[in-house]
Amino acid sequence: QTFTRAFKKQFTQTPALYRRAEDWSASGICPPIRLGAFTLPQPEFVTLPEQHLIGLTQSYSCTLEQISNFRNELRAQFWRLYLGDAETLPPVLYGLHHSRPSQGKDDEQEVLYTTALEPHHVPANVQEGQPITLPGGEYAMFCYQGPSSGLQDFILMLYGTCLPALGLTRRKGHDIERFYPKGDRRPPQAPTEIKCDYLIPIRR
């Protein structure tokens, strides 16, 4: 009860309503104090048109605390499942992430992760996917380049530090991971270094 009162004072709504809201405002979050050198990643604000992809969607339920670990595992697992028979990787790979409150348990989220390709990049020997439509809208695009193991920490920094510092509100929609593979590395051999645009749907 004490936590709920303090949370409502800071965010003007209860934790349950905040967790289930369509929009997620970062204005009440205090970014962490960093004692060492730190450069805040700066986004490029882009407006994307409606986009049509071919993809495969998987869903799972987990607690909020488990989301980060689950996303790391599922990202690699789903790409192996979707592109496991491809001889080479397409030039652009998409990962679409969306979560919503679980219908069964208040403390869990249903997380949906879609692996997708642009239709003209779908290899002939890749299993058939489903049409995916990404609605157009405004996004904050952050660029990540580094170890694949560091992507999830980068995403947590965006939500815990960048969005609050910039006063942005995440609107309903998918987070978009846009990967740019190098060379003809065959899946499922996971790359140790990756280049990724991470796009968060926002409302300013």
Side-chain angles (χ1 to χ4, degrees):
Q1 291 176 343
T2 300
F3 172 77
T4 298
R5 283 195 298 270
F7 189 96
K8 190 173 182 179
K9 182 178 180 180
Q10 182 76 357
F11 293 93
T12 68
Q13 58 183 324
T14 65
L17 288 175
Y18 186 84
R19 185 168 60 241
R20 293 179 177 273
E22 294 283 359
D23 286 358
W24 182 77
S25 174
S27 59
I29 293 179
C30 299
I33 297 173
R34 299 178 185 272
L35 301 179
F38 173 74
T39 301
L40 184 72
Q42 293 299 311
E44 177 184 351
F45 295 105
V46 297
T47 300
L48 299 183
E50 181 178 276
Q51 189 171 8
H52 298 279
L53 304 171
I54 302 295
L56 177 68
T57 300
Q58 303 273 354
S59 66
Y60 60 98
S61 293
C62 65
T63 65
L64 290 172
E65 293 79 9
Q66 293 174 318
I67 283 180
S68 292
N69 289 336
F70 270 57
R71 283 184 70 178
N72 267 337
E73 296 172 8
L74 287 167
R75 188 178 288 117
Q77 175 187 336
F78 289 168
W79 281 120
R80 283 196 299 267
L81 176 64
Y82 190 44
L83 292 173
D85 294 330
E87 290 297 328
T88 59
L89 289 172
V92 184
L93 307 175
Y94 289 83
L96 313 177
H97 177 265
H98 173 62
S99 63
R100 59 194 178 198
S102 171
Q103 298 298 314
K105 297 182 179 180
D106 285 341
D107 62 341
E108 288 194 354
Q109 294 279 306
E110 182 184 7
V111 179
L112 296 94
Y113 189 83
T114 301
T115 51
L117 302 171
E118 296 170 3
H120 55 283
H121 286 155
V122 177
N125 56 348
V126 167
Q127 63 175 303
E128 184 177 352
Q130 300 297 320
I132 305 291
T133 300
L134 276 178
E138 187 175 18
Y139 292 80
M141 183 175 74
F142 298 87
C143 297
Y144 175 81
Q145 189 162 0
S148 55
S149 58
L151 177 58
Q152 197 59 40
D153 286 340
F154 179 76
I155 295 170
L156 292 176
M157 180 185 63
L158 298 183
Y159 275 98
T161 301
C162 295
L163 264 61
L166 297 169
L168 298 176
T169 295
R170 186 195 186 281
R171 61 177 173 80
K172 181 180 179 181
H174 293 86
D175 279 15
I176 302 173
E177 301 168 354
R178 201 160 54 191
F179 298 97
Y180 302 94
K182 293 181 180 180
D184 294 333
R185 184 192 305 272
R186 278 182 54 88
Q189 184 182 358
T192 55
E193 296 284 323
I194 59 172
K195 180 180 179 182
C196 174
D197 292 335
Y198 195 88
L199 298 95
I200 300 175
I202 59 158
R203 181 176 291 112
R204 289 192 278 180

